[in-house]
């Protein structure tokens, strides 16, 4: 029995070791991903629920790893945040997205995800400013999406930074709303320009009266604060119908459009095209 136990422990240690090695290797590759041009941007449409008009596009990062193929962001963004590579990567995303959007023939907004690590880094305000100047993108076409965890860490500082970003004319959306524990506190502390209702609500809205009641309450909250609410993860017509009936402002999800490279997104032409 003891031998078997030892074996189990050894096996466990070896596999932990391999996992750690794998993560280290992936982290090393991450640092080089920008230079090797392995990163790409996909765009997912955001539409008005009432008119169906396109409002903008969320920018979603994709990593095409030479051996592993397409690595999903949920697998490499946390790693990039841990090892610091999110700073050059996030800067690349922001510059590339602003550059691409500036070349469109339509004035749609772009919504770029901003990591807490980027926000905590002192010069994010001047970075955003210089990228806007450099690319010529109108500040009001840029929205930054942040999650509540961004603010919780160092609240005072985070709020000052967000205010400075807003002063540039850039708008701020609160992402994954309804999943954190301090949602109301966050809303009270900062004048957000949009609330993005977490997609977990959409997956439950058809079957759960509770989910529907919470959506209704968040919509009422947003509207009394005069902040538009966008529902994420809309996959079915039924969900969209419910949102329409409840007075939701905007929607995003596979039903309206999947994330795709800009070349295949309908409605946007680049200067090159
Ligand atoms: P997120 O910001 O909440 O982005 C929405 C995610 O939902 C995207 O996953 C999108 O592809 C997915 N999605 C869109 N419509 C639907 C739908 O109808 N149903 C379902 N089930 N999912 C839908 P993705 O692209 O895999 O990104 C995952 C997360 O990675 C993002 O969540 C965001 O937190 C992070 N991320 C992506 N790009 C960036 C980036 O450039 N910078 C940073 N810091 N984070 C990013
Ligand atoms: Ca987002
Ligand atoms: Ca989200
Ligand atoms: Ca998220």
């Amino acid at each position: 029995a003891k031998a078997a136990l030892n074996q189990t422990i050894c096996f466990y240690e070896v596999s932990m070791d391999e996992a750690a090695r794998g993560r280290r290797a992936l982290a090393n590759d991450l640092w080089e991903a920008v230079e090797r041009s392995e990163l790409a941007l996909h765009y997912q449409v955001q539409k008005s629920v009432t008119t169906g008009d396109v409002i903008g596009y969320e920018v979603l990062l994709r990593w095409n790893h030479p051996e592993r193929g397409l690595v999903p962001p949920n697998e490499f963004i946390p790693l990039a945040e841990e090892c610091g590579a999110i700073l050059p990567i996030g800067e690349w995303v922001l510059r590339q997205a602003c550059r691409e959007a500036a070349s469109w023939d339509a004035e749609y907004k772009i919504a770029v995800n901003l990591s807490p690590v980027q926000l905590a880094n002192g010069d994010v305000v001047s970075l955003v400013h210089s990228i806007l100047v450099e690319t010529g993108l109108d500040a009001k076409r840029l929205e930054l999406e942040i999650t509540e965890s961004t603010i919780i860490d160092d609240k005072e500082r985070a709020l000052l930074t967000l205010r400075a970003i807003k002063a540039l004319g850039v708008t701020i959306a609160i992402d994954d709303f309804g999943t954190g524990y301090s949602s109301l506190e966050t809303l009270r502390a900062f004048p957000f320009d949009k609330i993005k209702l977490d997609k977990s609500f959409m997956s439950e809205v058809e079957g759960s009266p509770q989910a529907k009641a919470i959506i209704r309450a968040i919509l009422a909250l947003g509207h009394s604060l005069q902040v538009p609410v966008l529902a994420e993860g809309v996959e079915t017509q039924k969900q969209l119908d419910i949102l329409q009936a409840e007075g939701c402002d905007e929607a995003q999800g596979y039903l309206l459009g999947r994330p795709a490279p800009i070349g295949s997104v309908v409605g946007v032409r680049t200067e090159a095209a």
Side-chain angles (χ1 to χ4, degrees):
K2 201 174 173 211
L5 187 65
N6 278 340
Q7 237 172 348
T8 312
I9 291 167
C10 278
F11 176 73
Y12 179 71
E13 281 176 352
V14 164
S15 61
M16 279 299 280
D17 226 48
E18 253 162 32
R21 228 191 338 263
R23 281 167 60 80
R24 259 201 306 277
L26 203 62
N28 282 337
D29 294 348
L30 256 178
W31 280 102
E32 289 171 4
V34 174
E35 281 169 31
R36 294 197 201 137
S37 309
E38 291 164 5
L39 300 180
L41 301 181
H42 281 196
Y43 291 82
Q44 187 179 33
V45 73
Q46 301 179 327
K47 288 186 175 176
S48 158
V49 170
T50 42
T51 65
D53 289 345
V54 173
I55 289 161
Y57 292 87
E58 180 174 3
V59 177
L60 294 160
L61 183 58
R62 299 292 179 259
W63 181 18
N64 216 326
H65 189 280
E67 287 115 44
R68 296 176 205 231
L70 211 62
V71 186
N74 286 333
E75 276 174 37
F76 72 85
I77 294 215
L79 189 63
E81 288 173 335
E82 265 170 56
C83 74
I86 193 68
L87 293 177
I89 290 172
E91 179 174 340
W92 179 85
V93 170
L94 199 60
R95 178 172 288 112
Q96 184 68 14
C98 290
R99 198 181 277 158
E100 289 183 10
S103 78
W104 298 348
D105 63 358
E107 302 268 291
Y108 298 126
K109 289 192 78 153
I110 47 166
V112 177
N113 290 287
L114 195 72
S115 155
V117 178
Q118 285 176 280
L119 199 82
N121 190 280
D123 52 14
V124 67
V125 182
S126 48
L127 181 70
V128 171
H129 176 69
S130 60
I131 286 177
L132 287 172
V133 171
E134 173 193 327
T135 60
L137 188 80
D138 191 348
K140 66 174 191 291
R141 289 183 59 199
L142 178 62
E143 184 151 83
L144 295 177
E145 297 192 359
I146 63 154
T147 55
E148 282 165 84
S149 59
T150 307
I151 298 175
I152 290 161
D153 298 340
D154 183 350
K155 202 170 161 188
E156 291 297 306
R157 201 178 120 102
L159 294 179
L160 280 176
T161 308
L162 288 177
R163 280 197 194 100
I165 292 174
K166 264 193 85 155
L168 299 172
V170 173
T171 56
I172 311 278
I174 182 159
D175 205 355
D176 303 344
F177 189 82
T179 53
Y181 56 87
S182 67
S183 303
L184 298 179
E185 165 74 17
T186 311
L187 273 186
R188 196 177 47 145
F190 188 80
F192 289 96
D193 300 286
K194 186 177 290 182
I195 292 171
K196 294 192 77 180
L197 190 63
D198 189 71
K199 58 177 174 289
S200 58
F201 290 105
M202 271 318 103
S203 48
E204 287 174 31
V205 70
E206 286 178 55
S208 154
Q210 284 89 343
K212 200 166 163 180
I214 293 171
I215 292 175
R216 189 173 290 162
I218 292 175
L219 284 169
L221 182 67
H223 293 160
S224 60
L225 294 169
Q226 292 174 308
V227 177
V229 179
L230 178 148
E232 292 190 285
V234 180
E235 295 182 354
T236 69
Q237 184 60 46
K238 179 111 185 275
Q239 290 167 350
L240 189 61
D241 291 344
I242 294 172
L243 292 172
Q244 198 152 24
E246 298 294 335
C248 185
D249 305 278
E250 299 172 20
Q252 176 182 350
Y254 297 157
L255 179 72
L256 303 154
R258 288 188 176 254
I262 200 59
S264 57
V265 172
V266 186
V268 174
R269 281 164 193 264
T270 61
E271 270 166 6

